[in-house]
Amino acid sequence: MSVMYRYNTVMLSRRSELKASRREVLQQMRQLGPWVEGTLVATARRCGKKNCACHHDGPKHPVLFLTWKEFGKTVSLYIPRAMEAEVRIWAEHYKKLKELIRRASEAQKQIIRLRD
Ligand SMILES: [Zn+2]
């Protein structure tokens, strides 16, 4: 077996390996549910009722915000209690999506390198 033949065989199998990896990543992207960009921040607030314990040394109310950056400034969005579980899943999906983008990009760069 010539050196050149072996080299080509290795490159071909490496290329099909990369393409299989890319296919798998794209498949995972298609299966991913809705996502939302941002970081969830749990904090505590006083409510609007002046006679509530939270205004008189009692515990404050736990609240959840989604925060992200817009033009260098942090923006935050209050998450209604009823949507907390759902929004946590969307935020998880966003993290997963970013990881999939990174992996797909990495496979693409390696495919480009094989062209040398
Ligand atoms: Zn209160």
Side-chain angles (χ1 to χ4, degrees):
M1 197 193 292
S2 79
V3 171
M4 202 55 210
Y5 176 80
R6 230 159 62 198
Y7 174 79
N8 283 337
T9 309
V10 168
M11 294 304 256
L12 279 176
S13 77
R14 182 72 185 125
R15 182 167 294 136
S16 53
E17 206 176 275
L18 287 166
K19 285 184 174 171
S21 149
R22 180 175 67 183
R23 215 165 24 244
E24 190 219 306
V25 170
L26 292 175
Q27 184 59 32
Q28 284 186 46
M29 276 179 170
R30 274 191 286 275
Q31 288 167 351
L32 202 60
W35 56 80
V36 67
E37 181 185 8
T39 304
L40 288 168
V41 178
T43 181
R45 293 258 159 130
R46 288 194 176 93
C47 69
K49 298 171 204 148
K50 290 285 171 199
N51 59 347
C52 180
C54 68
H55 286 275
H56 309 280
D57 298 329
K60 292 176 185 172
H61 307 276
V63 284
L64 192 66
F65 285 89
L66 182 72
T67 73
W68 66 95
K69 293 259 185 189
E70 260 176 36
F71 306 108
K73 284 191 174 177
T74 301
V75 182
S76 66
L77 176 67
Y78 168 74
I79 308 300
R81 180 60 53 96
M83 290 188 79
E84 281 185 7
E86 199 177 15
V87 174
R88 281 184 195 281
I89 292 168
W90 296 348
E92 273 308 307
H93 285 167
Y94 184 74
K95 278 191 212 160
K96 175 88 179 153
L97 179 67
K98 277 204 300 191
E99 173 60 18
L100 291 172
I101 288 171
R102 197 196 56 74
R103 280 172 54 195
S105 225
E106 190 52 44
Q108 298 298 80
K109 286 171 192 166
Q110 289 185 37
I111 286 168
I112 294 167
R113 283 191 192 106
L114 287 179
R115 300 267 168 194
D116 287 347

